Amino acid sequence: MDELCCLDGTVHSLIFQNAENGYTVLRLVTEEGELHTVVGCIPCVAPGEHLTVSGVWETHPQHGEQLKALELERRLPEDVDEIFNYLSSGVCKGVGPATARAIVDRFGERTLDVLEQEPERLTTLRGITAKKAQQIGESFRQQMGLRRLMAFLAQYELAPNLAILLRKMYGDAALDVVRANPYLLSADECGVPFSATDEIAMSLGIAADSDARLQAAVIFELNHNEGNGHVFLPRTKLTAATVQLLNCEDDLVEKALDDLIARGAVVQEQVANVSACYLRRLWEAEAGAVARLRVLLSVDADQGRQVDKVITEIETAQGITYADQQRQAVALAARTGVLILTGGPGTGKTTTVRGIVALFQRMGLDVVLAAPTGRAAKRMSELCGGLEAQTIHRLLGVTWNENTREASFVKCEKEPLEADAVIVDEMSMVDMSLFAALLRALRPGTRLVLVGDADQLPSVGAGNVFSDLIRSKRVETVFLREVFRQAEQSAIIRNAHAVNLGQPPRFVNDQNDFFFMCRRSADRAVNTVVELCKTRLPEKMGVPADQIQVLSPTRKGECGTENLNRLLQAALNPPAPDKCQRQWGEKIFREGDRIMQTRNDYDVVWEKADGTVGTGIFNGDVGRVEEIDPSGEWLRVSFDDRTSTYAADQLSEIDLAYAQTVHKAQGSEYRAVVLTAMPAAAALMVRGVLYTALTRARELLIVVGDDSAVSAMAGNDRRQRRYSGLKWRLCEGT
């Protein structure tokens, strides 16, 4: 990382300031009279303030050298001239230059104390009523409250933009709320590590055995393990993990857990032979999903006396003949309320889905198509004759609740989807919470068809929904196992099925669409990947670089996506005088870059070419940086048919996407895939990762790496256990 530099001076002027996120571009004058540009999150700053800024120097294409603020100390102006400049800048609502002059002339160096503590004294000035004095005082107190909150967080090296978030959540009382219970900072919305909040709490004198600390640690462990895919934790494992986290006695944690259960924050229920502890929202999601699924399963669907005849007519219309399993699936879709369709590549899932759509339409049903990601939805729409498919989030109308700081959906029991049949593709990616939300939006009697490949990686979120539903044997399931002759000609598909059986792919290069390039050292592998993307595939095989996706099992290391993205960006989109760029931490975003959204953001506004406007960009959405504001304030990114503008503080939500992890690529399909396969963390060197990677390629797959690592992955079918009660509830539970 670049060496930290320090500047001390007075704010001379503001070039730009975003009140929503605190992003600021200002000019700072030092005691020596030098004028410097400073950028960063500096909320409510105004001319006249003293700043001590630590940061790194950046060279902006238009504005030259500027210091990106990483840490700062702020001091209010002290002499009358500085106080006048400060107030006349508009920092205090209701105070312009004339009013600022009158106030400073009357109260001098005590002006700021009067504004905060005795605003009623302003009524002694001509033209200031009691009401206006109160408004000025309230505005100034709000500014001071935010400043003090920032100063408090800065003691613990927490970012200034956290103060803005806390202010939105708790209003003027934010600092008092955080002081009373700093463990709130470890909630999902704030994302501060528990170790950091624990340090703050200890420094504030909160006892090690306090209820707040113990209960916060239990909740933290449940949240943390939700991120590892668990819907619940067994009580014994939860208490053991919390004891280790806090280094305390078992009975203290047991009591804290019982208190959380008593007040409903945690739900404990016997699942099979396990005392399962759930966060309430996950318990509600799982139990609610099962209840609604049973309703859908219990409804008598159309017995379809004419189904066989209709299927034959569809075959004739589409010019195909269904295999037995395909025909069985189409017929079952007419006769059952819920159907699962699963199979590997080349087994005819798409053809079968098209048949089900045609059948439903002939039955007069209003059919809706959905998938977890935008790319999967787009592909589904293309393969189903142009019938519109949406992401599940957009289908349900996701919204962001500012009061609860949680996402919610417009479509639910009170306002269900206007659909007679819903078909969901890439179901292996759907987690417990999203599945529950989908079921809440279906009217009783709605037909539900769930499509996917059960051998792919499970969802990033909690649960193993698709696999649990199949293993429960409570839902009609059709397994497509026959690989069709045309698909068998693809070495990609043949090798994917071989891997799924535990066999390594063939490493010979006499295959039409599958190639292996043995590179047993990381540096050679990386160089080969870059060369393939930059020259060999575009020039020799006619595959443009923007249609090649590099995949890696891991983010870290020389062959991880972080390093690959840096090298691929330099090779495929190097800096140029006519390209603006913006640095964020150690990453640089440049016009023309391929980027990916790394977490759900329900507030990002997007617009389509036809003028349609909406909100929400979601984890895994891939786009291209179209434009960067010369001042570095914003980036404009295109996501297929939508365009969004990102403020500077939102850059933490995006990453370069020339290379992606296999997990992130799930649900997407690419014309050409280059897979790096070198030894990595044991949890990633498994069959599911390799199989999922191979099935991302449509026309061309090149594996670059160590043949022994690839063989080891194919032979390792170890799957991390996920604690979930879905299968048990469907089979035996209530």
Side-chain angles (χ1 to χ4, degrees), residues 178-189:
V178 172
R179 282 182 174 276
N181 185 7
Y183 295 105
L184 293 168
L185 298 175
S186 285
D188 285 348
E189 309 88 72

Side-chain angles (χ1 to χ4, degrees), residues 631-700:
S631 69
E633 175 208 344
W634 51 260
L635 281 74
R636 183 166 292 120
V637 181
S638 62
F639 294 92
D640 292 328
D641 60 342
R642 293 163 291 133
T643 301
S644 298
T645 299
Y646 283 70
D649 69 318
Q650 294 172 299
L651 298 187
S652 60
E653 299 177 0
I654 62 175
D655 204 350
L656 295 173
Y658 298 100
Q660 299 178 29
T661 62
V662 176
H663 282 81
K664 285 289 188 184
Q666 193 173 355
S668 297
E669 187 179 72
Y670 311 96
R671 179 180 174 186
V673 167
V674 176
L675 171 66
T676 61
M678 298 293 287
L684 299 171
M685 302 301 289
V686 295
R687 184 182 303 167
V689 172
L690 180 59
Y691 176 75
T692 301
L694 300 189
T695 54
R696 298 309 90 205
R698 186 171 67 250
E699 296 180 15
L700 178 65

Side-chain angles (χ1 to χ4, degrees), residues 406-418:
E406 292 181 352
S408 58
F409 296 96
V410 173
K411 297 298 181 181
C412 58
E413 302 95 323
K414 295 179 180 178
E415 189 181 336
L417 289 167
E418 297 294 327

